[in-house]
Amino acid sequence: MASKKIRRRDMIQQVVQERGGVSVGSLAEMLGVSTQTIRRDIDVLCDGNTLRRAHGRIELAEDRLNTPFDQRAGTNLASKRAIAEVAAAQIPDGATLFISIGSTALSVARALRYRKELTIITNNLSAAMTLSEEVSNRIILPGGELRLPDRDFIGEEVVDFFGRFRAEFALFGTAGVGEDGRLLEFHESEVRASERMRSNAQCSILVIDHSKFGRLAPAAGAMITDVDQVVCDRRPAAEFDPVIEALGDGLLFAEKTE
């Protein structure tokens, strides 16, 4: 029982770290527990200086909340830039591509800023704004409510949105990778959106830094071996050797090792 509490509280911290803040109700739905359980978790988690309560939500403490989103949400930023350069090198001018939510996907969008005549289909507003600087690009966004501070769109409407298009490439990240190679997300709708992008693209490219291997999230998606190509910064811990070996030539490491 204690280990379940620890895993759940670790997940809460991960979600808040990525999003800046989240409601008690959303956490309860995401983790499959009661709001009373989440409130007890929050009592424990807000005992330090990192997190705080705020009107039915749990948020980063004010000094951390004021950090720019892409710096706060994205750990291992140098590694993600290296990943982005490798992934972007595969995208030619004139390509049609899906881009998912997430800071690594945003890094890829930044690395694509010199491409021309792209058609970008995305629910990541920050990626769309980055690529809008090139006026020859065409950018297609879903409607609906913009989630803040992430600046993205999620939900079933987004799943339907991606279902209406076909692309040459799908660039997407993931919240975590299980020990069996299962891709994990915080919401089922995020799983379905990634699956729709992957199935509707000629080539799917997962962009992920090594810290995501072994990172927990409640919603299970496809196996990592279902993806056409995986771009990672460097090799993860040894317990993931079977997963890495199964990827074969479909895995690229962005950081060179001696």
Side-chain angles (χ1 to χ4, degrees):
M1 184 64 70
S3 63
K4 286 185 179 179
K5 285 184 181 179
I6 292 169
R7 288 197 298 270
R8 189 175 63 245
R9 289 169 186 173
D10 283 346
M11 286 188 191
I12 292 171
Q13 286 185 303
Q14 290 171 16
V15 175
V16 176
Q17 186 68 35
E18 290 196 353
R19 300 182 179 178
V22 64
S23 72
V24 170
S26 292
L27 286 170
E29 180 182 357
M30 186 186 306
L31 299 175
V33 297
S34 69
T35 55
Q36 290 82 3
T37 297
I38 294 297
R39 289 191 179 95
R40 287 193 292 270
D41 290 335
I42 288 174
D43 286 341
V44 174
L45 293 170
C46 291
D47 201 28
N49 298 319
T50 304
L51 306 176
R52 67 175 185 177
R53 300 176 193 81
H55 308 296
R57 292 166 56 83
I58 180 171
E59 297 179 345
L60 288 173
E62 189 169 0
D63 59 337
R64 296 174 182 248
L65 190 60
N66 290 335
T67 305
F69 168 72
D70 55 339
Q71 293 181 27
R72 186 183 73 244
T75 57
N76 302 320
L77 292 175
S79 295
K80 288 181 179 180
R81 283 193 289 269
I83 293 166
E85 292 296 334
V86 170
Q90 302 176 64
I91 310 299
D93 287 348
T96 299
L97 61 150
F98 297 121
I99 299 180
S100 78
I101 63 175
S103 58
T104 309
L106 175 57
S107 294
V108 179
R110 289 170 175 160
L112 288 168
R113 62 191 180 279
Y114 298 120
R115 296 291 188 279
K116 297 183 183 300
E117 298 182 345
L118 297 176
T119 297
I120 302 107
I121 304 155
T122 184
N123 57 333
N124 186 330
L125 182 61
S126 294
M129 293 302 295
T130 295
L131 290 164
S132 70
E133 296 175 11
E134 171 51 58
V135 296
S136 69
N137 289 339
R138 180 188 182 203
I139 299 172
I140 305 172
L141 292 166
E145 182 177 352
L146 185 69
R147 181 176 64 168
L148 298 173
D150 301 57
R151 300 190 292 273
D152 59 34
F153 301 89
I154 63 169
E156 291 305 316
E157 297 90 347
V158 172
V159 179
D160 294 339
F161 164 75
F162 284 124
R164 298 199 298 269
F165 298 95
R166 300 294 183 272
E168 294 164 84
F169 301 94
L171 290 159
F172 63 101
T174 192
V177 180
E179 291 183 3
D180 61 351
R182 183 76 61 182
L183 303 182
L184 306 174
E185 297 290 355
F186 289 114
H187 285 283
E188 288 185 15
S189 61
E190 291 173 330
V191 169
R192 288 192 286 273
S194 294
E195 283 301 288
R196 193 62 57 88
M197 280 187 280
R198 187 177 65 84
S199 63
N200 286 359
Q202 294 175 8
C203 177
S204 56
I205 303 174
L206 175 67
V207 288
I208 181 173
D209 72 85
H210 73 282
S211 70
K212 297 296 179 70
F213 285 86
R215 192 164 184 252
L216 295 174
M223 300 297 292
I224 196 170
T225 49
D226 294 330
V227 181
D228 294 316
Q229 189 167 95
V230 178
V231 183
C232 188
D233 55 342
R234 60 182 185 269
R235 198 175 185 95
E239 58 262 34
F240 287 95
D241 283 351
V243 174
I244 294 302
E245 296 304 323
L247 290 169
D249 294 338
L251 174 65
L252 295 175
F253 289 117
E255 294 183 353
K256 303 300 181 185
T257 57
E258 297 296 335

